[in-house]
Amino acid sequence: MNHFQYRDGQLYAEDVPLARIADDVGTPFYCYSTATIERHFKAYSEAFRGLNATICYAVKANGNIAVIRTLAELGAGADVVSGGELKRAIIAGIPAEKIVYSGVGKTWDEMAQALSAGVMQVNVESEPELELLSEVAQALDTTATIAIRINPDVDARTHAKITTGKQENKFGIEWTRAHEVCARAALMPGIEIGGLAVHIGSQISDLDPFRDSYVRLRDLVAMLRSDGHEIGCLDLGGGLGIPYGENADDEAEETYPTPADLAAVVRKTLGDLGCRLLLEPGRSIVGNAGVLVTRVVYVKEGAMRTFAIVDAGMNDLIRPTLYDAYHAIEPVTQPAAGATLREMDIVGPICETGDTFGTGRQMPSLKSDDLLAIRTAGAYGAVQASIYNARALVPEVLVRGGDFGIVRERISVDDFIAREPFPQWFSDPT
Ligand code: LLP
């Protein structure tokens, strides 16, 4: 369920017509719904009630500070993967003791930043990282509580680019070596073992891979406890998939497991271990809480296809071209009942054929200036935007009831140019 619905022939975000925001902010822009974000967060917190769980929102999915703050006010923790994300989470009001720091390439500075901030836990993904963390902790005269992120060698059956739990992936420490690595960690100064972590991938639509990785964790907990380690915390990662199609809500009911379904698997496999649990959902909280609103620039009759060329490009939303992702696209003005539809490709202005948001979509007869909403763009949308083709950085808007606010301004081409000085060997061109 999401709060982008047609009302009187216009697509609204909660109680605000998207067309009104477009007039105010210009296009393209991302628009997020507070009520939808809250709804999804609560689905998690309710599903995991009684399991001693903290929902650590994966900031990478949507790092906008106002979005994080919306979640902070509901009691969320955060999962961060860089010093930048850590800064955002803290500024947004997530308490450091609810922040878990993951990622395969943490630098000295990032580790120092995390330890000085007092994060709850650092998830360690390799032995060189463990050694460096021990050095940083000693230099700061503190102790780092860690979880060993294991690679369970489980296939999440999702897109190859977002699969993280297979042996050939760069993530985590082979599960077969957990015993050895924990033994080393236990002897390292400045390191305290808090538990284990796992994250097998993203956009996972089947509970079996989750179950398989949790069973593996369960066995490891037993083994490590018998080695004498106190394993008090299990970080179960994120990864729950969401529907992206035209009938996303119906599709969700049919094929996508909910947080409650996931919690049932957790209860069954790990519920009796007495561990504190961390969850790191990203997409399933913010994914369908956002749309990318764009304006048709031209309708072009090509030799073989009809193109609606819009003012958003792959630089604003890269998911379709990077992961062959499908996003439903809807006209902001609802087509009249029985309107004739025609097949169109919805494409951007960027000089690459991959700059395509959808092919062969059934659309009413579109014309220049019509607005379209590219749905389910709240996760991995704005955060992956760039300024390719010397375009402005896309703005973001947050709606709450009948109110909306710009939560990231459009960062203009001039703003970027102002930060590109000529080196001294060129004479001033002006
Ligand atoms: N925890 C860790 C350690 C992760 O690496 C990720 C996502 C998450 C949690 C959150 O996973 P989620 O609940 O959002 O599935 N850009 C890609 C997705 C990349 C996911 C990266 N890691 C996309 O647009 O599909």
Side-chain angles (χ1 to χ4, degrees):
M1 230 298 271
N2 64 77
H3 290 77
F4 295 93
Q5 307 290 343
Y6 285 115
R7 264 193 223 170
D8 305 324
Q10 281 294 311
L11 192 58
Y12 275 63
E14 303 189 20
D15 299 329
V16 184
L18 287 172
R20 197 166 102 213
I21 306 177
D23 283 347
D24 219 71
V25 178
T27 52
F29 66 91
Y30 278 93
C31 177
Y32 311 127
S33 149
T34 299
T36 313
I37 297 171
E38 290 179 345
R39 182 189 155 88
H40 294 318
F41 180 79
K42 285 179 188 158
Y44 269 96
S45 53
E46 276 158 27
F48 283 87
R49 185 166 297 148
L51 276 169
N52 189 15
T54 304
I55 313 300
C56 296
Y57 165 64
V59 167
K60 63 178 78 64
N62 186 323
N64 186 279
I65 295 171
V67 168
I68 306 173
R69 170 128 187 221
T70 303
L71 290 161
E73 292 191 353
L74 296 175
D79 155 47
V80 302
V81 292
S82 68
E85 285 191 357
L86 176 59
K87 212 172 239 181
R88 285 177 174 276
I90 287 175
I91 289 173
I94 308 257
E97 63 274 11
K98 284 190 181 176
I99 298 180
V100 47
Y101 193 129
S102 322
V104 291
K106 304 173 195 82
T107 62
W108 174 291
D109 287 349
E110 287 177 314
M111 288 176 178
Q113 186 188 341
L115 295 182
S116 310
V119 300
M120 152 176 59
Q121 173 176 302
V122 178
N123 290 355
V124 168
E125 306 221 14
S126 67
E127 283 168 274
E129 185 193 340
L130 185 58
E131 285 155 19
L132 183 62
L133 186 63
S134 166
E135 280 178 37
V136 176
Q138 288 174 81
L140 297 183
D141 200 17
T142 185
T143 302
T145 303
I146 63 154
I148 305 280
R149 174 169 172 182
I150 58 136
N151 181 321
D153 196 23
V154 165
D155 185 354
R157 292 182 230 145
T158 181
H159 192 284
K161 285 186 182 152
I162 52 176
T163 293
T164 55
K166 297 240 312 161
Q167 217 174 17
E168 62 264 35
N169 302 138
K170 68 181 174 184
F171 300 95
I173 292 174
E174 288 162 75
W175 66 276
T176 47
R177 300 201 52 242
H179 161 78
E180 202 179 322
V181 174
C182 273
R184 273 198 73 195
L187 299 175
M188 282 189 183
I191 298 289
E192 186 177 298
I193 303 173
L196 297 174
V198 74
H199 171 79
I200 56 174
S202 192
Q203 186 55 9
I204 304 169
S205 57
D206 175 0
L207 288 172
D208 288 345
F210 287 111
R211 189 178 293 109
D212 293 348
S213 63
Y214 299 162
V215 167
R216 192 137 275 173
L217 269 188
R218 181 184 177 81
D219 293 346
L220 285 175
V221 170
M223 184 186 76
L224 294 170
R225 282 182 174 166
S226 74
D227 287 348
H229 301 293
E230 259 180 56
I231 303 294
C233 181
L234 294 177
D235 180 344
L236 306 180
L240 208 55
I242 58 169
Y244 279 86
E246 261 69 25
N247 300 309
D249 285 347
D250 305 339
E251 215 185 310
E253 275 170 30
E254 284 163 25
T255 48
Y256 284 84
T258 61
D261 298 329
L262 184 68
V265 174
V266 171
R267 236 182 218 102
K268 210 160 180 181
T269 50
L270 304 168
D272 61 344
L273 295 180
C275 287
R276 174 183 186 189
L277 301 177
L278 309 180
L279 280 301
E280 301 175 349
R283 188 191 311 267
S284 47
I285 289 186
V286 291
N288 76 357
V291 297
L292 173 60
V293 178
T294 181
R295 210 177 267 287
V296 175
V297 184
Y298 300 111
V299 173
K300 173 173 172 176
E301 303 295 342
M304 294 179 65
R305 318 184 65 85
T306 302
F307 300 99
I309 303 172
V310 299
D311 65 0
M314 62 189 264
N315 68 300
D316 302 308
L317 176 65
I318 204 169
R319 301 196 69 261
T321 193
L322 191 56
Y323 315 109
D324 299 315
Y326 186 97
H327 285 255
I329 303 174
E330 285 173 352
V332 166
T333 300
Q334 189 173 23
T340 319
L341 302 180
R342 59 187 302 212
E343 208 169 87
M344 281 191 180
D345 290 2
I346 315 297
V347 301
I350 304 273
C351 302
E352 295 200 25
T353 301
D355 183 27
T356 296
F357 292 115
T359 40
R361 301 297 179 92
Q362 294 295 325
M363 286 284 153
S365 61
L366 295 176
K367 52 184 188 331
S368 301
D369 283 341
D370 282 352
L371 292 170
L372 298 177
I374 304 178
R375 302 293 302 257
T376 322
Y380 307 109
V383 279
Q384 298 200 107
S386 75
I387 57 169
Y388 184 40
N389 272 205
R391 289 162 54 83
L393 193 61
V394 60
E396 298 170 271
V397 171
L398 182 63
V399 169
R400 181 165 169 271
D403 221 359
F404 71 90
I406 295 177
V407 293
R408 180 172 78 196
E409 292 172 12
R410 190 182 308 280
I411 303 181
S412 73
V413 177
D414 288 338
D415 290 328
F416 286 102
I417 288 175
R419 287 169 176 269
E420 280 175 42
F422 287 108
Q424 59 280 13
W425 58 85
F426 288 122
S427 58
D428 187 345
T430 51

